[in-house]
Amino acid sequence: VAANPYWLAEGRAPLASGELREALETPSSRAHKALMDSLAALPLEARRMLPETIAALLQMRRRSDEPLVGHGADSSSGPGLGGLAEKIDEAGVLRKVNRHLLTRFMMLTVLCYLDRTNLAFAALQLNRDLGFSELVYGLGSSVFFFTYAIAQVPSNMALVRVGGPLWLGIIVTFWGIVATCFAGLTTATSFYVLRLLLGLAEAGTFPGLWYMLTLFYTTSEVAVAYAICQAGSVAAQVVGAPLAAGLLAMDGFLGLDGWQWLFLAEGLPTVAFGIWLRMTLADAPATAKFLQPAERQWLSARNQAHKEMAADMAEVEWEGIRHWKTWALAALDICISTTKYALLYFLPLIIYQILGARNDRAADAAKIAEGGKVPLHDDDDGFTAGEGEGPNEVLVALLTAVPFAVAAFSTVGNAWHSKRSGERLWHVVAPLVVSAASMVALASTMGSHAGLAFASLMGAVLAWAPGGILSAYPSAYLSGPAA
């Protein structure tokens, strides 16, 4: 920083060694304030260079014998730590943080998506037993997002006020109770009310999860930590299908329908998890019981120093918000999310209808061979498949795991190939074009060609494939904090 040409162009003399050290080590000092004020006043191009400039300075200071910062990875060292970091096993501290936070938050994500999507599997029996039409089911699925959207900000405000462990414990327990209550559904009205309550309960989960991660990780670490937590959503979709198949097979056991067992078995564990989360989750680095006192002090000082530096350069981030590509990516994400949630909530019913059409054609062929007339099949309700019994719900639930497995592997494989080849654009465009074309093909073949329809379904789930690449795409046209 002392040798930065922009700094010298401001008419300032290079900082003396003692002043520079005080400015970087002591966030409350006048030297630190003067340094940050000057850096904030630099031109945009100069501020883009700041992260690299500061990193280079810290690396240079590590080579010397002066204890300005501790030895370790750039991402875990920072200004304002003095010689404290030299006494701490930084990698060991972060491993403890990962075990404590990421394990719990991955479990939270899995439970969240199991409770959110078990409706799609329950619908195989629930719609038939309660007489729900496509309209009732579709409306009930979508009203969830009304309360989910409007309650996110108020929920996070409450979390900041009362603390992460208490608030997350409350909302997780509440949504577990609501999810369990679905086992007592009798009318469309109760269905709508419970879906609204579930959206209200789950609204603060992921914003709260992100907030808790920012207390323990630096800006450069939190994105990776959040991505690891989000991996639980894919795991829930793959594991949820065979789990639902087993629970649906309990139809009639102890006088309960299979869909009732599904809601009970996936809702009650969430209640227990919410209570456990409240009792065990650390509130902040300074009070984390899984760390030693010196480790708490180091982690708190490290994160505070990084947050102050990020706050001093926050104006740069507005460059990303104002950029037209950011808004284009947001619009694209809305389209992708619409496709993903449509498949998430209707995939078991789509497979049910594909198998039902296949069974109808087989029955028709048998009647023709016997010289009989082909019956007219009434598929208007979307949940029946001609005369006789429909496809086996357990088989449908098991088959649902196949498209979700394709989605999981395509996401990982597409991201890996994009990183290996260094190309991003076509790794986003190609899967989305295939997904869009497959959706059109699925709509035209679902009632007539079971094989083509199921193959189209495999192409439709490629809407998940660009997910990881899109998350990193801003770094292609932005730099520094703006990215």
Side-chain angles (χ1 to χ4, degrees):
V1 175
N4 191 304
Y6 293 101
W7 173 269
L8 299 178
E10 292 270 320
R12 295 178 174 271
L15 288 176
S17 176
E19 293 176 316
L20 177 60
R21 181 168 176 175
E22 181 187 8
L24 289 174
E25 286 190 342
T26 314
S28 60
S29 67
R30 294 177 61 186
H32 176 83
K33 185 178 185 304
L35 178 62
M36 291 297 115
D37 287 346
S38 298
L39 292 177
L42 292 177
L44 180 60
E45 287 300 319
R47 278 180 284 167
R48 283 179 174 174
M49 295 171 58
L50 284 180
E52 291 78 11
T53 304
I54 293 174
L57 171 69
L58 296 178
Q59 184 64 29
M60 178 179 65
R61 300 294 283 183
R62 276 192 207 97
R63 295 196 191 100
S64 69
D65 294 329
E66 297 182 42
L68 178 62
V69 293
H71 300 282
D74 291 347
S75 63
S76 56
S77 297
L81 302 182
L84 177 63
E86 293 193 359
K87 308 171 186 178
I88 300 297
D89 177 10
E90 301 175 18
V93 173
L94 292 179
R95 281 196 297 270
K96 291 182 181 180
V97 172
N98 291 342
R99 281 196 300 269
H100 181 82
L101 285 185
L102 300 189
T103 302
R104 286 164 173 77
F105 288 163
M106 273 200 71
M107 293 171 62
L108 177 62
T109 304
V110 169
L111 288 173
C112 181
Y113 274 87
L114 283 177
D115 287 337
R116 188 181 298 184
T117 61
N118 60 10
L119 177 64
F121 295 106
L124 296 169
Q125 295 178 355
L126 182 148
N127 292 323
R128 178 196 63 210
D129 293 348
L130 301 184
F132 287 175
S133 65
E134 289 173 311
L135 177 61
V136 171
Y137 177 75
L139 183 59
S141 300
S142 60
V143 295
F144 165 92
F145 294 99
F146 177 73
T147 48
Y148 184 80
I150 64 176
Q152 287 195 355
V153 173
S155 180
N156 242 32
M157 292 172 66
L159 180 142
V160 173
R161 180 178 292 272
V162 305
L166 175 59
W167 188 248
L168 284 176
I170 289 173
I171 63 176
V172 172
T173 303
F174 177 48
W175 109 48
I177 293 172
V178 173
T180 305
C181 287
F182 273 85
L185 277 179
T186 54
T187 65
T189 301
S190 60
F191 178 45
Y192 298 147
V193 171
L194 286 177
R195 288 294 293 174
L196 286 168
L197 288 175
L198 188 63
L200 181 68
E202 291 190 18
T205 304
F206 289 109
L209 184 152
W210 178 271
Y211 174 78
M212 290 298 297
L213 291 177
T214 62
L215 298 180
F216 287 84
Y217 295 101
T218 65
T219 305
S220 60
E221 297 165 347
V222 72
V224 177
Y226 190 72
I228 292 173
C229 295
Q230 280 292 297
S233 65
V234 179
Q237 292 161 10
V238 175
V239 175
L243 178 61
L247 293 170
L248 290 175
M250 295 174 65
D251 191 32
F253 182 66
L254 297 180
L256 296 176
D257 294 320
W259 60 269
Q260 291 177 306
W261 280 113
L262 180 59
F263 286 123
L264 288 173
E266 295 186 358
L268 291 176
T270 304
V271 176
F273 180 81
I275 298 171
W276 178 73
L277 190 68
R278 166 65 184 94
M279 296 172 60
T280 63
L281 182 64
D283 186 66
T287 57
K289 294 181 180 179
F290 63 91
L291 295 176
Q292 298 298 320
E295 294 173 335
R296 295 176 206 156
Q297 184 183 357
W298 171 80
L299 189 62
S300 299
R302 179 196 80 138
N303 291 355
Q304 181 60 31
H306 277 277
K307 284 180 175 61
E308 290 183 1
M309 184 179 296
D312 287 320
M313 296 185 290
E315 185 182 343
V316 184
E317 298 177 7
W318 282 99
E319 178 198 1
I321 297 175
R322 290 190 294 260
H323 203 292
W324 70 269
K325 289 185 179 179
T326 302
W327 291 94
L329 286 175
L332 179 61
D333 187 62
I334 291 174
C335 296
I336 294 173
S337 297
T338 302
T339 302
K340 287 162 66 173
Y341 275 109
L343 290 171
L344 208 60
Y345 284 115
F346 284 90
L347 191 57
L349 296 175
I350 291 172
I351 294 178
Y352 186 93
Q353 215 165 352
I354 291 173
L355 293 180
R358 181 175 177 272
N359 292 348
D360 284 345
R361 289 198 310 278
D364 292 346
K367 289 195 175 186
I368 292 173
E370 295 171 1
K373 295 180 65 176
V374 178
L376 295 176
H377 302 298
D378 181 12
D379 293 331
D380 289 342
D381 62 359
F383 306 118
T384 59
E387 295 182 347
E389 296 185 0
N392 184 281
E393 291 95 349
V394 175
L395 174 62
V396 171
L398 289 173
L399 287 176
T400 303
V402 178
F404 283 139
V406 171
F409 283 114
S410 67
T411 301
V412 176
N414 195 45
W416 173 83
H417 191 269
S418 173
K419 181 179 179 181
R420 186 167 182 243
S421 64
E423 200 280 330
R424 288 178 176 172
L425 178 60
W426 287 105
H427 284 80
V428 172
V429 172
L432 294 182
V433 170
V434 172
S435 177
S438 298
M439 291 286 280
V440 174
L442 177 63
S444 60
T445 60
M446 191 163 56
S448 55
H449 302 284
L452 290 176
F454 200 76
S456 299
L457 201 54
M458 300 301 104
V461 297
L462 292 182
W464 270 269
I469 302 171
L470 282 175
S471 299
Y473 207 85
S475 62
Y477 61 91
L478 298 171
S479 59

